[in-house]
Amino acid sequence: MKYVFMLISLIICSGTFAQKKKTTKTIPPPPVRKEFSPPKIQSLIKEDDEDTKCFVYIVKEEKEGRIFVTENLLEYGWNNDLARMVITTYDYDPVAVKKAEKEGYLLGQTQRLQFIEGTFNIKDHTYTFIPTKLDKFKTETFKISFEGKSKKVKHLTNNKNEVFEKGACLEPILGA
């Protein structure tokens, strides 16, 4: 029995202290990835985008020593066929404004803005603004006037012969 235990322990010991043979096979390197160039980003500025897509009509009225201003801003073309009209109204006292400018400070004005969202359609030198809430606002039609023979828009004229001149678009408003 003593020899059987010695034989078993010899077999176990020889198996546990044996060295593993090195394999001749080598692991292939990982496949090389083809580097794709990033897709070209198309510029959002088109040739016709250099032309102003914001038009303003300003009405100033003087009543009882105050000046009441109504600005109608028409924006279009910034996203597919979406457009909007922004009506801004405010009033100020010109005497107080001049006095504030002389003393070197600014007067704060309260402005009321009304945003009318909608879509637009251009056909045959006619611009049509279609509000999304037709029950509250009317569809307005404008005649497009071009500069010479170019395709640049000079101004828009509505049905009341009010001329909407090129103007600055609204800057984004950040809430406080």
Side-chain angles (χ1 to χ4, degrees):
M1 186 76 174
K2 182 178 176 183
Y3 292 112
V4 174
F5 281 126
M6 287 178 88
L7 183 65
I8 292 174
S9 62
L10 182 65
I11 292 173
I12 292 174
C13 289
S14 65
T16 56
F17 292 111
Q19 293 182 354
K20 186 177 178 183
K21 289 185 179 179
K22 291 186 178 180
T23 60
T24 56
K25 294 181 181 177
T26 58
I27 299 172
V32 178
R33 286 185 156 193
K34 292 181 181 177
E35 298 233 0
F36 295 106
S37 60
K40 292 182 181 178
I41 299 173
Q42 295 178 352
S43 174
L44 297 176
I45 300 172
K46 299 176 188 172
E47 292 176 12
D48 61 339
D49 279 350
E50 293 175 8
D51 195 17
T52 305
K53 303 249 179 167
C54 298
F55 295 90
V56 179
Y57 176 69
I58 300 173
V59 178
K60 292 184 179 183
E61 295 178 7
E62 187 173 346
K63 292 181 184 176
E64 300 174 7
R66 295 191 67 81
I67 296 179
F68 294 87
V69 181
T70 303
E71 296 179 5
N72 294 320
L73 171 69
L74 179 65
E75 295 180 309
Y76 71 94
W78 35 270
N79 188 0
N80 295 335
D81 64 343
L82 296 180
R84 82 174 158 194
M85 186 172 282
V86 182
I87 302 171
T88 307
T89 56
Y90 59 93
D91 62 285
Y92 63 92
D93 184 10
V95 176
V97 170
K98 286 181 184 178
K99 183 180 175 185
E101 287 177 358
K102 285 181 183 177
E103 294 178 7
Y105 61 91
L106 296 173
L107 288 178
Q109 296 178 357
T110 303
Q111 294 184 345
R112 292 166 296 286
L113 281 81
Q114 180 181 18
F115 291 87
I116 304 170
E117 304 292 334
T119 58
F120 74 95
N121 191 354
I122 298 176
K123 286 185 183 175
D124 301 326
H125 305 296
T126 304
Y127 174 90
T128 307
F129 175 73
I130 306 160
T132 53
K133 296 182 179 179
L134 288 170
D135 55 331
K136 292 185 178 183
F137 306 105
K138 295 179 187 176
T139 301
E140 292 198 41
T141 306
F142 299 89
K143 180 184 172 194
I144 302 174
S145 298
F146 294 101
E147 293 177 1
K149 292 185 179 184
S150 67
K151 291 288 183 179
K152 290 188 177 184
V153 180
K154 184 178 178 183
H155 63 268
L156 302 176
T157 308
N158 66 0
N159 295 338
K160 300 173 191 172
N161 287 330
E162 297 171 342
V163 178
F164 283 68
E165 297 289 335
K166 288 183 183 180
C169 296
L170 279 180
E171 296 294 324
I173 299 172
L174 299 176

